[in-house]
Amino acid sequence: MDSRTFRDAMGRFATGVTVVTTQVDDETHGMTANAFMSVSLDPKLVTISIDHNAKMYSRIKQSQQFAVSILSDEQMDVSMHFAGQKDNPAAVQFDFVSGIPVIRDALTAVVCNVIESYEVGDHTLFIGEVLEIKLTDGNPLAFFGGKYGSYQPV
């Protein structure tokens, strides 16, 4: 199969939308991602998958910390900004949790120290030990078939 077919197939898995952030030399960096999952409850671990060509790859390797902000359905502009689809820095506001930048008003912010990393194909899986979590009420921003949407209970 070609890469386009594989991408189309993976795009049929509906996901939430996250922004992964870190800080290097007092500068905040972020990228939109949906390759995020919980790994373990004891200890509390999550993983993110970052393309080796992404700027965030070297930044997380350097900082050894990251946060994952799970976006609400009111934060599509934030996602588009960090995905490079819309240059709208005014849409982005940060808070800091345990010294790590997180997206203000995200549904959840998960702050982590990197404890392991695994190169797998053209990506690296960063395993993060969860240091702190911040929760906010709201509805999630969803992504399916290359398009943003909202969650509807059945």
PDB file of all heavy atoms in Angstrom, residues 20-61:
ATOM      1  N   VAL A  20       1.000  19.558  22.100  1.00  0.00           N
ATOM      2  CA  VAL A  20       2.146  19.174  22.920  1.00  0.00           C
ATOM      3  C   VAL A  20       3.026  20.404  23.058  1.00  0.00           C
ATOM      4  O   VAL A  20       3.347  21.057  22.057  1.00  0.00           O
ATOM      5  CB  VAL A  20       2.926  18.015  22.265  1.00  0.00           C
ATOM      6  CG1 VAL A  20       4.175  17.684  23.064  1.00  0.00           C
ATOM      7  CG2 VAL A  20       2.035  16.787  22.115  1.00  0.00           C
ATOM      8  N   THR A  21       3.409  20.737  24.284  1.00  0.00           N
ATOM      9  CA  THR A  21       4.233  21.906  24.536  1.00  0.00           C
ATOM     10  C   THR A  21       5.455  21.543  25.367  1.00  0.00           C
ATOM     11  O   THR A  21       5.456  20.550  26.098  1.00  0.00           O
ATOM     12  CB  THR A  21       3.446  23.001  25.280  1.00  0.00           C
ATOM     13  OG1 THR A  21       2.804  22.425  26.418  1.00  0.00           O
ATOM     14  CG2 THR A  21       2.411  23.650  24.393  1.00  0.00           C
ATOM     15  N   THR A  22       6.468  22.377  25.235  1.00  0.00           N
ATOM     16  CA  THR A  22       7.656  22.278  26.069  1.00  0.00           C
ATOM     17  C   THR A  22       8.295  23.648  26.121  1.00  0.00           C
ATOM     18  O   THR A  22       7.867  24.579  25.426  1.00  0.00           O
ATOM     19  CB  THR A  22       8.647  21.205  25.557  1.00  0.00           C
ATOM     20  OG1 THR A  22       9.602  20.924  26.579  1.00  0.00           O
ATOM     21  CG2 THR A  22       9.347  21.630  24.287  1.00  0.00           C
ATOM     22  N   GLN A  23       9.315  23.782  26.954  1.00  0.00           N
ATOM     23  CA  GLN A  23      10.033  25.045  27.050  1.00  0.00           C
ATOM     24  C   GLN A  23      11.528  24.764  26.981  1.00  0.00           C
ATOM     25  O   GLN A  23      12.037  23.880  27.666  1.00  0.00           O
ATOM     26  CB  GLN A  23       9.688  25.758  28.352  1.00  0.00           C
ATOM     27  CG  GLN A  23      10.200  27.177  28.403  1.00  0.00           C
ATOM     28  CD  GLN A  23       9.557  27.962  29.521  1.00  0.00           C
ATOM     29  OE1 GLN A  23       9.248  27.427  30.565  1.00  0.00           O
ATOM     30  NE2 GLN A  23       9.367  29.247  29.307  1.00  0.00           N
ATOM     31  N   VAL A  24      12.207  25.531  26.109  1.00  0.00           N
ATOM     32  CA  VAL A  24      13.656  25.430  25.953  1.00  0.00           C
ATOM     33  C   VAL A  24      14.211  26.845  25.987  1.00  0.00           C
ATOM     34  O   VAL A  24      13.755  27.714  25.227  1.00  0.00           O
ATOM     35  CB  VAL A  24      14.036  24.729  24.627  1.00  0.00           C
ATOM     36  CG1 VAL A  24      15.538  24.715  24.435  1.00  0.00           C
ATOM     37  CG2 VAL A  24      13.472  23.319  24.577  1.00  0.00           C
ATOM     38  N   ASP A  25      15.187  27.079  26.861  1.00  0.00           N
ATOM     39  CA  ASP A  25      15.812  28.408  26.980  1.00  0.00           C
ATOM     40  C   ASP A  25      14.772  29.509  27.148  1.00  0.00           C
ATOM     41  O   ASP A  25      14.807  30.533  26.458  1.00  0.00           O
ATOM     42  CB  ASP A  25      16.707  28.703  25.773  1.00  0.00           C
ATOM     43  CG  ASP A  25      17.862  27.714  25.642  1.00  0.00           C
ATOM     44  OD1 ASP A  25      18.340  27.222  26.687  1.00  0.00           O
ATOM     45  OD2 ASP A  25      18.264  27.427  24.508  1.00  0.00           O
ATOM     46  N   ASP A  26      13.819  29.295  28.042  1.00  0.00           N
ATOM     47  CA  ASP A  26      12.754  30.258  28.344  1.00  0.00           C
ATOM     48  C   ASP A  26      11.856  30.588  27.159  1.00  0.00           C
ATOM     49  O   ASP A  26      11.158  31.597  27.158  1.00  0.00           O
ATOM     50  CB  ASP A  26      13.330  31.551  28.928  1.00  0.00           C
ATOM     51  CG  ASP A  26      13.990  31.332  30.277  1.00  0.00           C
ATOM     52  OD1 ASP A  26      13.481  30.491  31.054  1.00  0.00           O
ATOM     53  OD2 ASP A  26      15.010  31.991  30.557  1.00  0.00           O
ATOM     54  N   GLU A  27      11.867  29.750  26.136  1.00  0.00           N
ATOM     55  CA  GLU A  27      10.988  29.933  24.982  1.00  0.00           C
ATOM     56  C   GLU A  27      10.011  28.765  24.907  1.00  0.00           C
ATOM     57  O   GLU A  27      10.399  27.607  24.985  1.00  0.00           O
ATOM     58  CB  GLU A  27      11.810  30.021  23.692  1.00  0.00           C
ATOM     59  CG  GLU A  27      10.995  30.486  22.513  1.00  0.00           C
ATOM     60  CD  GLU A  27      11.859  30.769  21.285  1.00  0.00           C
ATOM     61  OE1 GLU A  27      13.035  31.123  21.438  1.00  0.00           O
ATOM     62  OE2 GLU A  27      11.328  30.597  20.166  1.00  0.00           O
ATOM     63  N   THR A  28       8.725  29.088  24.732  1.00  0.00           N
ATOM     64  CA  THR A  28       7.676  28.079  24.665  1.00  0.00           C
ATOM     65  C   THR A  28       7.517  27.593  23.228  1.00  0.00           C
ATOM     66  O   THR A  28       7.498  28.386  22.296  1.00  0.00           O
ATOM     67  CB  THR A  28       6.358  28.660  25.187  1.00  0.00           C
ATOM     68  OG1 THR A  28       6.531  29.001  26.561  1.00  0.00           O
ATOM     69  CG2 THR A  28       5.217  27.663  25.045  1.00  0.00           C
ATOM     70  N   HIS A  29       7.393  26.278  23.082  1.00  0.00           N
ATOM     71  CA  HIS A  29       7.208  25.649  21.771  1.00  0.00           C
ATOM     72  C   HIS A  29       6.014  24.711  21.851  1.00  0.00           C
ATOM     73  O   HIS A  29       5.771  24.092  22.881  1.00  0.00           O
ATOM     74  CB  HIS A  29       8.454  24.852  21.377  1.00  0.00           C
ATOM     75  CG  HIS A  29       9.695  25.669  21.376  1.00  0.00           C
ATOM     76  ND1 HIS A  29      10.048  26.478  20.324  1.00  0.00           N
ATOM     77  CD2 HIS A  29      10.658  25.826  22.316  1.00  0.00           C
ATOM     78  CE1 HIS A  29      11.183  27.080  20.607  1.00  0.00           C
ATOM     79  NE2 HIS A  29      11.578  26.708  21.808  1.00  0.00           N
ATOM     80  N   GLY A  30       5.286  24.578  20.725  1.00  0.00           N
ATOM     81  CA  GLY A  30       4.141  23.681  20.708  1.00  0.00           C
ATOM     82  C   GLY A  30       3.882  23.118  19.334  1.00  0.00           C
ATOM     83  O   GLY A  30       4.349  23.661  18.326  1.00  0.00           O
ATOM     84  N   MET A  31       3.151  22.019  19.299  1.00  0.00           N
ATOM     85  CA  MET A  31       2.705  21.416  18.040  1.00  0.00           C
ATOM     86  C   MET A  31       1.404  20.673  18.280  1.00  0.00           C
ATOM     87  O   MET A  31       1.182  20.105  19.352  1.00  0.00           O
ATOM     88  CB  MET A  31       3.762  20.472  17.461  1.00  0.00           C
ATOM     89  CG  MET A  31       3.993  19.203  18.249  1.00  0.00           C
ATOM     90  SD  MET A  31       5.091  18.024  17.430  1.00  0.00           S
ATOM     91  CE  MET A  31       3.910  17.159  16.410  1.00  0.00           C
ATOM     92  N   THR A  32       0.547  20.701  17.273  1.00  0.00           N
ATOM     93  CA  THR A  32      -0.694  19.932  17.332  1.00  0.00           C
ATOM     94  C   THR A  32      -0.374  18.466  17.084  1.00  0.00           C
ATOM     95  O   THR A  32       0.453  18.139  16.242  1.00  0.00           O
ATOM     96  CB  THR A  32      -1.687  20.444  16.273  1.00  0.00           C
ATOM     97  OG1 THR A  32      -2.008  21.804  16.576  1.00  0.00           O
ATOM     98  CG2 THR A  32      -2.967  19.626  16.261  1.00  0.00           C
ATOM     99  N   ALA A  33      -1.024  17.589  17.864  1.00  0.00           N
ATOM    100  CA  ALA A  33      -0.766  16.150  17.726  1.00  0.00           C
ATOM    101  C   ALA A  33      -2.016  15.373  18.138  1.00  0.00           C
ATOM    102  O   ALA A  33      -2.773  15.816  18.986  1.00  0.00           O
ATOM    103  CB  ALA A  33       0.412  15.735  18.595  1.00  0.00           C
ATOM    104  N   ASN A  34      -2.202  14.211  17.522  1.00  0.00           N
ATOM    105  CA  ASN A  34      -3.241  13.309  18.017  1.00  0.00           C
ATOM    106  C   ASN A  34      -2.655  11.949  18.368  1.00  0.00           C
ATOM    107  O   ASN A  34      -3.388  11.049  18.757  1.00  0.00           O
ATOM    108  CB  ASN A  34      -4.436  13.203  17.060  1.00  0.00           C
ATOM    109  CG  ASN A  34      -4.081  12.627  15.720  1.00  0.00           C
ATOM    110  OD1 ASN A  34      -2.932  12.264  15.464  1.00  0.00           O
ATOM    111  ND2 ASN A  34      -5.062  12.546  14.848  1.00  0.00           N
ATOM    112  N   ALA A  35      -1.329  11.802  18.251  1.00  0.00           N
ATOM    113  CA  ALA A  35      -0.660  10.551  18.625  1.00  0.00           C
ATOM    114  C   ALA A  35      -0.278  10.622  20.099  1.00  0.00           C
ATOM    115  O   ALA A  35       0.860  10.896  20.474  1.00  0.00           O
ATOM    116  CB  ALA A  35       0.560  10.317  17.745  1.00  0.00           C
ATOM    117  N   PHE A  36      -1.282  10.398  20.952  1.00  0.00           N
ATOM    118  CA  PHE A  36      -1.145  10.510  22.405  1.00  0.00           C
ATOM    119  C   PHE A  36      -1.993   9.420  23.033  1.00  0.00           C
ATOM    120  O   PHE A  36      -3.089   9.143  22.559  1.00  0.00           O
ATOM    121  CB  PHE A  36      -1.642  11.888  22.849  1.00  0.00           C
ATOM    122  CG  PHE A  36      -2.012  11.985  24.303  1.00  0.00           C
ATOM    123  CD1 PHE A  36      -1.030  11.978  25.275  1.00  0.00           C
ATOM    124  CD2 PHE A  36      -3.334  12.089  24.692  1.00  0.00           C
ATOM    125  CE1 PHE A  36      -1.367  12.071  26.627  1.00  0.00           C
ATOM    126  CE2 PHE A  36      -3.687  12.185  26.035  1.00  0.00           C
ATOM    127  CZ  PHE A  36      -2.689  12.183  26.999  1.00  0.00           C
ATOM    128  N   MET A  37      -1.466   8.788  24.084  1.00  0.00           N
ATOM    129  CA  MET A  37      -2.280   7.805  24.806  1.00  0.00           C
ATOM    130  C   MET A  37      -1.734   7.572  26.203  1.00  0.00           C
ATOM    131  O   MET A  37      -0.561   7.829  26.478  1.00  0.00           O
ATOM    132  CB  MET A  37      -2.346   6.473  24.064  1.00  0.00           C
ATOM    133  CG  MET A  37      -1.031   5.749  23.937  1.00  0.00           C
ATOM    134  SD  MET A  37      -1.222   4.214  23.024  1.00  0.00           S
ATOM    135  CE  MET A  37      -0.692   3.050  24.254  1.00  0.00           C
ATOM    136  N   SER A  38      -2.612   7.109  27.083  1.00  0.00           N
ATOM    137  CA  SER A  38      -2.157   6.696  28.401  1.00  0.00           C
ATOM    138  C   SER A  38      -1.511   5.324  28.267  1.00  0.00           C
ATOM    139  O   SER A  38      -1.888   4.530  27.402  1.00  0.00           O
ATOM    140  CB  SER A  38      -3.313   6.667  29.394  1.00  0.00           C
ATOM    141  OG  SER A  38      -4.227   5.657  29.042  1.00  0.00           O
ATOM    142  N   VAL A  39      -0.526   5.063  29.122  1.00  0.00           N
ATOM    143  CA  VAL A  39       0.224   3.808  29.055  1.00  0.00           C
ATOM    144  C   VAL A  39       0.028   2.988  30.319  1.00  0.00           C
ATOM    145  O   VAL A  39      -0.112   1.777  30.262  1.00  0.00           O
ATOM    146  CB  VAL A  39       1.733   4.089  28.843  1.00  0.00           C
ATOM    147  CG1 VAL A  39       2.550   2.818  28.901  1.00  0.00           C
ATOM    148  CG2 VAL A  39       1.962   4.803  27.533  1.00  0.00           C
ATOM    149  N   SER A  40       0.011   3.658  31.475  1.00  0.00           N
ATOM    150  CA  SER A  40      -0.008   2.932  32.740  1.00  0.00           C
ATOM    151  C   SER A  40      -0.651   3.794  33.819  1.00  0.00           C
ATOM    152  O   SER A  40      -0.478   5.010  33.832  1.00  0.00           O
ATOM    153  CB  SER A  40       1.442   2.593  33.142  1.00  0.00           C
ATOM    154  OG  SER A  40       1.514   2.099  34.462  1.00  0.00           O
ATOM    155  N   LEU A  41      -1.371   3.122  34.732  1.00  0.00           N
ATOM    156  CA  LEU A  41      -1.926   3.810  35.900  1.00  0.00           C
ATOM    157  C   LEU A  41      -0.947   3.808  37.068  1.00  0.00           C
ATOM    158  O   LEU A  41      -0.972   4.700  37.913  1.00  0.00           O
ATOM    159  CB  LEU A  41      -3.233   3.153  36.342  1.00  0.00           C
ATOM    160  CG  LEU A  41      -4.452   3.466  35.497  1.00  0.00           C
ATOM    161  CD1 LEU A  41      -5.640   2.609  35.935  1.00  0.00           C
ATOM    162  CD2 LEU A  41      -4.803   4.935  35.579  1.00  0.00           C
ATOM    163  N   ASP A  42      -0.115   2.772  37.162  1.00  0.00           N
ATOM    164  CA  ASP A  42       0.824   2.667  38.278  1.00  0.00           C
ATOM    165  C   ASP A  42       2.159   2.131  37.784  1.00  0.00           C
ATOM    166  O   ASP A  42       2.281   0.920  37.591  1.00  0.00           O
ATOM    167  CB  ASP A  42       0.246   1.769  39.374  1.00  0.00           C
ATOM    168  CG  ASP A  42       1.107   1.769  40.627  1.00  0.00           C
ATOM    169  OD1 ASP A  42       1.922   2.706  40.800  1.00  0.00           O
ATOM    170  OD2 ASP A  42       0.949   0.840  41.436  1.00  0.00           O
ATOM    171  N   PRO A  43       3.114   3.003  37.509  1.00  0.00           N
ATOM    172  CA  PRO A  43       3.066   4.459  37.687  1.00  0.00           C
ATOM    173  C   PRO A  43       2.245   5.111  36.581  1.00  0.00           C
ATOM    174  O   PRO A  43       1.978   4.495  35.547  1.00  0.00           O
ATOM    175  CB  PRO A  43       4.530   4.878  37.598  1.00  0.00           C
ATOM    176  CG  PRO A  43       5.146   3.856  36.689  1.00  0.00           C
ATOM    177  CD  PRO A  43       4.425   2.566  36.980  1.00  0.00           C
ATOM    178  N   LYS A  44       1.876   6.362  36.799  1.00  0.00           N
ATOM    179  CA  LYS A  44       1.079   7.100  35.813  1.00  0.00           C
ATOM    180  C   LYS A  44       1.985   7.525  34.663  1.00  0.00           C
ATOM    181  O   LYS A  44       2.876   8.359  34.837  1.00  0.00           O
ATOM    182  CB  LYS A  44       0.408   8.286  36.477  1.00  0.00           C
ATOM    183  CG  LYS A  44      -0.675   7.837  37.448  1.00  0.00           C
ATOM    184  CD  LYS A  44      -1.140   8.941  38.343  1.00  0.00           C
ATOM    185  CE  LYS A  44      -2.168   8.447  39.341  1.00  0.00           C
ATOM    186  NZ  LYS A  44      -1.702   7.381  40.218  1.00  0.00           N
ATOM    187  N   LEU A  45       1.751   6.931  33.476  1.00  0.00           N
ATOM    188  CA  LEU A  45       2.584   7.177  32.299  1.00  0.00           C
ATOM    189  C   LEU A  45       1.710   7.443  31.087  1.00  0.00           C
ATOM    190  O   LEU A  45       0.643   6.852  30.938  1.00  0.00           O
ATOM    191  CB  LEU A  45       3.472   5.963  31.995  1.00  0.00           C
ATOM    192  CG  LEU A  45       4.409   5.467  33.087  1.00  0.00           C
ATOM    193  CD1 LEU A  45       5.092   4.170  32.651  1.00  0.00           C
ATOM    194  CD2 LEU A  45       5.443   6.533  33.427  1.00  0.00           C
ATOM    195  N   VAL A  46       2.204   8.324  30.205  1.00  0.00           N
ATOM    196  CA  VAL A  46       1.581   8.574  28.906  1.00  0.00           C
ATOM    197  C   VAL A  46       2.669   8.506  27.843  1.00  0.00           C
ATOM    198  O   VAL A  46       3.861   8.535  28.157  1.00  0.00           O
ATOM    199  CB  VAL A  46       0.871   9.954  28.844  1.00  0.00           C
ATOM    200  CG1 VAL A  46      -0.252  10.031  29.869  1.00  0.00           C
ATOM    201  CG2 VAL A  46       1.857  11.094  29.013  1.00  0.00           C
ATOM    202  N   THR A  47       2.246   8.425  26.579  1.00  0.00           N
ATOM    203  CA  THR A  47       3.215   8.481  25.485  1.00  0.00           C
ATOM    204  C   THR A  47       2.720   9.436  24.406  1.00  0.00           C
ATOM    205  O   THR A  47       1.517   9.599  24.210  1.00  0.00           O
ATOM    206  CB  THR A  47       3.505   7.094  24.878  1.00  0.00           C
ATOM    207  OG1 THR A  47       4.598   7.190  23.982  1.00  0.00           O
ATOM    208  CG2 THR A  47       2.317   6.532  24.143  1.00  0.00           C
ATOM    209  N   ILE A  48       3.692  10.074  23.752  1.00  0.00           N
ATOM    210  CA  ILE A  48       3.436  10.878  22.559  1.00  0.00           C
ATOM    211  C   ILE A  48       4.367  10.369  21.472  1.00  0.00           C
ATOM    212  O   ILE A  48       5.450   9.858  21.761  1.00  0.00           O
ATOM    213  CB  ILE A  48       3.643  12.389  22.800  1.00  0.00           C
ATOM    214  CG1 ILE A  48       5.049  12.674  23.339  1.00  0.00           C
ATOM    215  CG2 ILE A  48       2.571  12.933  23.729  1.00  0.00           C
ATOM    216  CD1 ILE A  48       5.388  14.144  23.463  1.00  0.00           C
ATOM    217  N   SER A  49       3.938  10.487  20.240  1.00  0.00           N
ATOM    218  CA  SER A  49       4.730  10.043  19.101  1.00  0.00           C
ATOM    219  C   SER A  49       5.070  11.267  18.260  1.00  0.00           C
ATOM    220  O   SER A  49       4.176  11.955  17.778  1.00  0.00           O
ATOM    221  CB  SER A  49       3.926   9.030  18.283  1.00  0.00           C
ATOM    222  OG  SER A  49       4.658   8.621  17.155  1.00  0.00           O
ATOM    223  N   ILE A  50       6.376  11.529  18.097  1.00  0.00           N
ATOM    224  CA  ILE A  50       6.829  12.740  17.408  1.00  0.00           C
ATOM    225  C   ILE A  50       7.703  12.359  16.210  1.00  0.00           C
ATOM    226  O   ILE A  50       8.663  11.589  16.342  1.00  0.00           O
ATOM    227  CB  ILE A  50       7.633  13.660  18.363  1.00  0.00           C
ATOM    228  CG1 ILE A  50       6.846  13.959  19.644  1.00  0.00           C
ATOM    229  CG2 ILE A  50       8.076  14.934  17.650  1.00  0.00           C
ATOM    230  CD1 ILE A  50       5.609  14.809  19.463  1.00  0.00           C
ATOM    231  N   ASP A  51       7.365  12.906  15.054  1.00  0.00           N
ATOM    232  CA  ASP A  51       8.121  12.697  13.819  1.00  0.00           C
ATOM    233  C   ASP A  51       9.531  13.264  13.983  1.00  0.00           C
ATOM    234  O   ASP A  51       9.715  14.351  14.530  1.00  0.00           O
ATOM    235  CB  ASP A  51       7.396  13.418  12.682  1.00  0.00           C
ATOM    236  CG  ASP A  51       7.964  13.121  11.305  1.00  0.00           C
ATOM    237  OD1 ASP A  51       9.196  13.196  11.125  1.00  0.00           O
ATOM    238  OD2 ASP A  51       7.167  12.828  10.403  1.00  0.00           O
ATOM    239  N   HIS A  52      10.522  12.526  13.498  1.00  0.00           N
ATOM    240  CA  HIS A  52      11.905  12.982  13.595  1.00  0.00           C
ATOM    241  C   HIS A  52      12.147  14.279  12.835  1.00  0.00           C
ATOM    242  O   HIS A  52      13.110  15.004  13.142  1.00  0.00           O
ATOM    243  CB  HIS A  52      12.862  11.899  13.096  1.00  0.00           C
ATOM    244  CG  HIS A  52      12.845  10.683  13.954  1.00  0.00           C
ATOM    245  ND1 HIS A  52      13.188   9.444  13.486  1.00  0.00           N
ATOM    246  CD2 HIS A  52      12.524  10.508  15.255  1.00  0.00           C
ATOM    247  CE1 HIS A  52      13.079   8.556  14.451  1.00  0.00           C
ATOM    248  NE2 HIS A  52      12.671   9.177  15.537  1.00  0.00           N
ATOM    249  N   ASN A  53      11.312  14.616  11.863  1.00  0.00           N
ATOM    250  CA  ASN A  53      11.463  15.859  11.109  1.00  0.00           C
ATOM    251  C   ASN A  53      10.782  17.050  11.778  1.00  0.00           C
ATOM    252  O   ASN A  53      10.967  18.183  11.346  1.00  0.00           O
ATOM    253  CB  ASN A  53      10.915  15.699   9.691  1.00  0.00           C
ATOM    254  CG  ASN A  53      11.754  14.747   8.866  1.00  0.00           C
ATOM    255  OD1 ASN A  53      12.980  14.746   8.957  1.00  0.00           O
ATOM    256  ND2 ASN A  53      11.100  13.916   8.081  1.00  0.00           N
ATOM    257  N   ALA A  54      10.001  16.807  12.817  1.00  0.00           N
ATOM    258  CA  ALA A  54       9.306  17.901  13.512  1.00  0.00           C
ATOM    259  C   ALA A  54      10.293  18.651  14.402  1.00  0.00           C
ATOM    260  O   ALA A  54      11.160  18.047  15.040  1.00  0.00           O
ATOM    261  CB  ALA A  54       8.159  17.347  14.351  1.00  0.00           C
ATOM    262  N   LYS A  55      10.147  19.973  14.462  1.00  0.00           N
ATOM    263  CA  LYS A  55      11.001  20.782  15.338  1.00  0.00           C
ATOM    264  C   LYS A  55      10.857  20.346  16.796  1.00  0.00           C
ATOM    265  O   LYS A  55      11.807  20.412  17.570  1.00  0.00           O
ATOM    266  CB  LYS A  55      10.651  22.261  15.201  1.00  0.00           C
ATOM    267  CG  LYS A  55      10.981  22.835  13.844  1.00  0.00           C
ATOM    268  CD  LYS A  55      10.520  24.281  13.743  1.00  0.00           C
ATOM    269  CE  LYS A  55      10.744  24.810  12.335  1.00  0.00           C
ATOM    270  NZ  LYS A  55      10.186  26.152  12.174  1.00  0.00           N
ATOM    271  N   MET A  56       9.661  19.897  17.160  1.00  0.00           N
ATOM    272  CA  MET A  56       9.399  19.500  18.544  1.00  0.00           C
ATOM    273  C   MET A  56      10.256  18.315  18.978  1.00  0.00           C
ATOM    274  O   MET A  56      10.576  18.175  20.155  1.00  0.00           O
ATOM    275  CB  MET A  56       7.908  19.166  18.708  1.00  0.00           C
ATOM    276  CG  MET A  56       7.499  18.879  20.129  1.00  0.00           C
ATOM    277  SD  MET A  56       7.773  20.242  21.268  1.00  0.00           S
ATOM    278  CE  MET A  56       6.429  21.299  20.860  1.00  0.00           C
ATOM    279  N   TYR A  57      10.644  17.485  18.030  1.00  0.00           N
ATOM    280  CA  TYR A  57      11.470  16.304  18.344  1.00  0.00           C
ATOM    281  C   TYR A  57      12.740  16.702  19.096  1.00  0.00           C
ATOM    282  O   TYR A  57      13.007  16.202  20.188  1.00  0.00           O
ATOM    283  CB  TYR A  57      11.790  15.553  17.054  1.00  0.00           C
ATOM    284  CG  TYR A  57      12.801  14.446  17.204  1.00  0.00           C
ATOM    285  CD1 TYR A  57      12.482  13.273  17.884  1.00  0.00           C
ATOM    286  CD2 TYR A  57      14.073  14.573  16.677  1.00  0.00           C
ATOM    287  CE1 TYR A  57      13.411  12.261  18.022  1.00  0.00           C
ATOM    288  CE2 TYR A  57      15.000  13.556  16.810  1.00  0.00           C
ATOM    289  CZ  TYR A  57      14.673  12.406  17.482  1.00  0.00           C
ATOM    290  OH  TYR A  57      15.588  11.406  17.626  1.00  0.00           O
ATOM    291  N   SER A  58      13.507  17.621  18.555  1.00  0.00           N
ATOM    292  CA  SER A  58      14.763  18.019  19.206  1.00  0.00           C
ATOM    293  C   SER A  58      14.495  18.816  20.476  1.00  0.00           C
ATOM    294  O   SER A  58      15.283  18.747  21.431  1.00  0.00           O
ATOM    295  CB  SER A  58      15.649  18.820  18.245  1.00  0.00           C
ATOM    296  OG  SER A  58      15.015  20.018  17.864  1.00  0.00           O
ATOM    297  N   ARG A  59      13.405  19.536  20.509  1.00  0.00           N
ATOM    298  CA  ARG A  59      13.096  20.343  21.691  1.00  0.00           C
ATOM    299  C   ARG A  59      12.739  19.484  22.892  1.00  0.00           C
ATOM    300  O   ARG A  59      13.146  19.764  24.013  1.00  0.00           O
ATOM    301  CB  ARG A  59      11.997  21.341  21.356  1.00  0.00           C
ATOM    302  CG  ARG A  59      12.526  22.382  20.357  1.00  0.00           C
ATOM    303  CD  ARG A  59      11.467  23.271  19.812  1.00  0.00           C
ATOM    304  NE  ARG A  59      12.088  24.281  18.949  1.00  0.00           N
ATOM    305  CZ  ARG A  59      11.476  24.887  17.972  1.00  0.00           C
ATOM    306  NH1 ARG A  59      10.205  24.597  17.704  1.00  0.00           N
ATOM    307  NH2 ARG A  59      12.100  25.780  17.242  1.00  0.00           N
ATOM    308  N   ILE A  60      11.975  18.419  22.666  1.00  0.00           N
ATOM    309  CA  ILE A  60      11.656  17.518  23.783  1.00  0.00           C
ATOM    310  C   ILE A  60      12.895  16.732  24.194  1.00  0.00           C
ATOM    311  O   ILE A  60      13.128  16.517  25.381  1.00  0.00           O
ATOM    312  CB  ILE A  60      10.474  16.593  23.435  1.00  0.00           C
ATOM    313  CG1 ILE A  60       9.192  17.431  23.334  1.00  0.00           C
ATOM    314  CG2 ILE A  60      10.317  15.487  24.481  1.00  0.00           C
ATOM    315  CD1 ILE A  60       7.980  16.664  22.894  1.00  0.00           C
ATOM    316  N   LYS A  61      13.700  16.332  23.233  1.00  0.00           N
ATOM    317  CA  LYS A  61      14.951  15.639  23.575  1.00  0.00           C
ATOM    318  C   LYS A  61      15.823  16.526  24.461  1.00  0.00           C
ATOM    319  O   LYS A  61      16.464  16.037  25.385  1.00  0.00           O
ATOM    320  CB  LYS A  61      15.712  15.231  22.312  1.00  0.00           C
ATOM    321  CG  LYS A  61      15.128  13.997  21.644  1.00  0.00           C
ATOM    322  CD  LYS A  61      16.010  13.486  20.532  1.00  0.00           C
ATOM    323  CE  LYS A  61      17.234  12.868  21.094  1.00  0.00           C
ATOM    324  NZ  LYS A  61      17.419  11.460  20.817  1.00  0.00           N
TER     325      LYS A  61
END
